[in-house]
Amino acid sequence: MPLPIRRTILAAVAAAACAAVIIPAQAAKPLTIGFSQVGAESEWRTANTASIKAAAKQAGVNLKFADAQQQQQNQVKAIRSFIAQRVDVIAFSPVVETGWETVLREAKNAKIPVILTDRSVKVSDPSLYVSFIGSDFVEEGRRAGRWLLDYAKKNPNKALNIVELQGTVGSAPATDRKTGFAEVIAGNPKLKIIRSQTGDFTRAKGKEVMEAFLKSEGKNINVLFAHNDDMAIGAIQAIEEAGLKPGKDIVIVSIDGVRGAFEAMMQGKLNVTVECNPLLGPTLVQTAQSVVAGKPVPKRITVDEGVFPAEAAAKEFPNRKY
Ligand code: GZL
């Protein structure tokens, strides 16, 4: 084959080979979410954080995560830092309901959408956040109350003086669970709340406050309503140290549905836990992706939850995901 023809063919083959190489389009910049978490105060919070981090990793999201140690000013600082870093979306679980107008207006002015997870806020302008993803805390309080109404019906001769361990003062779960519970137990005048104080959602504080309740009310306490399982577990220690039987001498109603609660129920020390689902990570990531893509998202996205009495604990325990 004469040289010039061979060269021509080679040149054509080389040109075709180059044309076949797909120059990768500029890889899309990953979505960046700035997330301000309440803290690490409970088993529930640990599971919530793990869900958010796992979902972000799974979706290739660049997650900037800040733990506020249950201090509102740390959350405000983190949100301002996310604004300065020009993240695509800001998400947070507000430790309390009020005091967010100013910083949320700064985010709006910077055209950075805000998604609330877990807890909500009280603001005059609902456009300050795009969506809320979480539970109906009033309904969780009602479910706790309904279980106790039913217990009272089955134990008509039992005294039913209640002590209440409230969650963080000013937080949506504490305010709303208290409201829902009180609304339902009003149906039975024998169900009386004789002491109520915050244990700030932690085991340590729950134990400390329960010790104080036992000192002042002693055997007059028949029921404990705890706004979360961690405070209930702390209170169980205090009840045992006082020589009483948790779950028997003092009936215990709690909320969250964490592993520690199932273990306590299987030991006969807790009577019921109302589930509060912390696994919000996948929904948060999907919602953030939709917002950035300009798709409409619901203003409020609630999660399904159940009620688990002690008699159901052993069967349900292997299915628990948190
Ligand atoms: C509820 C969440 C509460 C949990 C607590 O959604 O905000 O905060 O009930 C946690 O365990 O500390």
Side-chain angles (χ1 to χ4, degrees):
M1 179 189 300
L3 196 53
I5 296 177
R6 198 175 329 142
R7 274 209 187 112
T8 311
I9 292 168
L10 275 178
V13 167
C18 286
V21 171
I22 312 291
I23 311 293
Q26 183 64 25
K29 186 171 76 68
L31 176 69
T32 298
I33 298 177
F35 188 87
S36 168
Q37 181 58 294
V38 166
E41 73 282 1
S42 63
E43 261 190 79
W44 188 98
R45 188 65 56 198
T46 305
N48 180 246
T49 292
S51 172
I52 289 162
K53 287 183 172 175
K57 188 159 182 263
Q58 169 82 26
V61 163
N62 173 26
L63 181 72
K64 293 177 182 294
F65 183 91
D67 175 331
Q69 281 138 12
Q70 291 185 284
Q71 300 301 316
Q72 180 171 29
Q73 68 265 22
N74 292 344
Q75 290 199 291
V76 171
K77 249 190 282 183
I79 292 170
R80 286 193 168 126
S81 162
F82 296 147
I83 293 170
Q85 296 175 66
R86 301 294 316 150
V87 299
D88 299 307
V89 174
I90 290 171
F92 75 118
S93 171
V95 61
V96 292
E97 289 185 288
T98 55
W100 303 102
E101 300 267 352
T102 304
V103 74
L104 291 183
R105 196 156 299 288
E106 290 166 21
K108 184 173 182 181
N109 294 341
K111 297 189 177 17
I112 299 176
V114 174
I115 297 173
L116 302 179
T117 67
D118 165 29
R119 299 183 185 178
S120 194
V121 296
K122 282 197 174 10
V123 287
S124 56
D125 174 1
S127 76
L128 289 176
Y129 64 91
V130 175
S131 185
F132 164 81
I133 303 165
S135 305
D136 179 344
F137 299 131
V138 176
E139 181 55 24
E140 288 175 353
R142 291 194 190 105
R143 288 175 180 173
R146 286 188 204 116
W147 184 90
L148 197 52
L149 275 189
D150 187 49
Y151 174 85
K153 224 181 277 168
K154 291 173 186 160
N155 297 273
N157 305 323
K158 275 201 172 173
L160 295 162
N161 296 319
I162 304 163
V163 292
E164 180 181 31
L165 286 170
Q166 296 180 39
T168 302
V169 175
S171 69
T175 305
D176 291 353
R177 286 170 182 169
K178 182 171 184 54
T179 301
F181 182 76
E183 175 195 298
V184 168
I185 67 163
N188 179 340
K190 278 186 71 181
L191 287 166
K192 281 193 300 296
I193 297 177
I194 56 173
R195 297 291 302 273
S196 182
Q197 194 177 325
T198 182
D200 212 17
F201 284 132
T202 68
R203 290 192 184 196
K205 201 88 173 87
K207 180 179 182 199
E208 187 189 310
V209 175
M210 191 67 202
E211 283 165 352
F213 286 164
L214 287 162
K215 262 200 198 84
S216 63
E217 297 294 343
K219 294 227 185 333
N220 194 26
I221 300 170
N222 311 111
V223 180
L224 164 63
F225 169 46
H227 288 188
N228 84 326
D229 293 335
D230 284 73
M231 293 190 291
I233 291 163
I236 284 168
Q237 288 166 10
I239 293 166
E240 289 181 317
E241 286 170 11
L244 296 170
K245 289 195 183 63
K248 295 172 186 59
D249 299 330
I250 296 179
V251 167
I252 304 179
V253 184
S254 183
I255 299 177
D256 273 354
V258 296
R259 282 184 193 288
F262 279 81
E263 284 155 357
M265 287 195 286
M266 290 187 288
Q267 292 158 9
K269 299 180 180 178
L270 179 71
N271 299 83
V272 59
T273 184
V274 173
E275 187 177 37
C276 176
N277 187 342
L279 307 179
L280 306 176
T283 307
L284 168 59
V285 168
Q286 283 152 21
T287 306
Q289 289 169 331
S290 297
V291 169
V292 166
K295 294 179 191 153
V297 296
K299 191 71 180 174
R300 187 175 170 80
I301 304 169
T302 47
V303 289
D304 294 336
E305 298 168 339
V307 179
F308 296 98
E311 54 272 22
K315 186 161 174 281
E316 169 65 17
F317 189 59
N319 310 325
R320 302 306 296 164
K321 296 192 181 69
Y322 66 93

